[in-house]
Amino acid sequence: MPATASRIGFITQAVRNAIAGPDEAVALKYGDLARDTKEPLECFFDSEADAALVAQERLALLSPDRRRFLSEVSGADVGRGLQFNVSTPTARIIDTEKAADLPAATVEIGIDYEAGKTILSNWG
């Protein structure tokens, strides 16, 4: 990257802040649970716009209500067949008791070989 005057000015600044929010719903929902300090999070970005984008993405992750669902699937081969090293497996959760009909990410895969089943933990 060339050393332009604006780039030199950017690099020589000690601190730059990128802020997303405040979102009152997120503050009421989590309070101080997400952070134990008011100090900025130390990050390394090439531009302030990149840091602002990540701050907005973090706020977007915290904004909606999320829930965890456990599913038992018959067959140990189901868990072994999920290609979690390529991408995050997803599922559509439909649960009338919990009023859920939503996409979810599979965040944990357990295989019970004795019982011949796969236990999936989904977050969505």
Side-chain angles (χ1 to χ4, degrees):
M1 188 172 283
T4 63
S6 62
R7 181 76 182 149
I8 291 169
F10 178 81
I11 291 172
T12 56
Q13 291 175 348
V15 176
R16 289 166 300 280
N17 290 328
I19 298 171
D23 186 328
E24 192 63 31
V26 172
L28 287 173
K29 189 179 348 178
Y30 298 108
D32 291 334
L33 292 175
R35 301 275 314 271
D36 59 359
T37 178
K38 297 290 183 195
E39 294 297 314
L41 297 173
E42 187 174 349
C43 303
F44 301 93
F45 295 97
D46 285 334
S47 71
E48 199 168 331
D50 291 343
L53 179 64
V54 170
Q56 286 295 332
E57 288 175 352
R58 184 174 188 269
L59 181 63
L61 285 172
L62 292 172
S63 296
D65 288 327
R66 307 278 185 202
R67 295 184 281 174
R68 183 174 174 242
F69 298 90
L70 289 176
S71 307
E72 289 187 6
V73 182
S74 179
D77 291 337
V78 173
R80 287 197 321 251
L82 293 174
Q83 296 183 3
F84 59 87
N85 58 339
V86 177
S87 66
T88 302
T90 60
R92 183 174 185 90
I93 303 296
I94 300 172
D95 189 332
T96 53
E97 286 181 16
K98 296 178 183 174
D101 185 353
L102 51 104
T106 302
V107 295
E108 186 177 345
I109 304 165
I111 301 173
D112 185 342
Y113 288 102
E114 285 185 19
K117 64 182 177 181
T118 299
I119 301 107
L120 302 173
S121 179
N122 295 298
W123 185 254

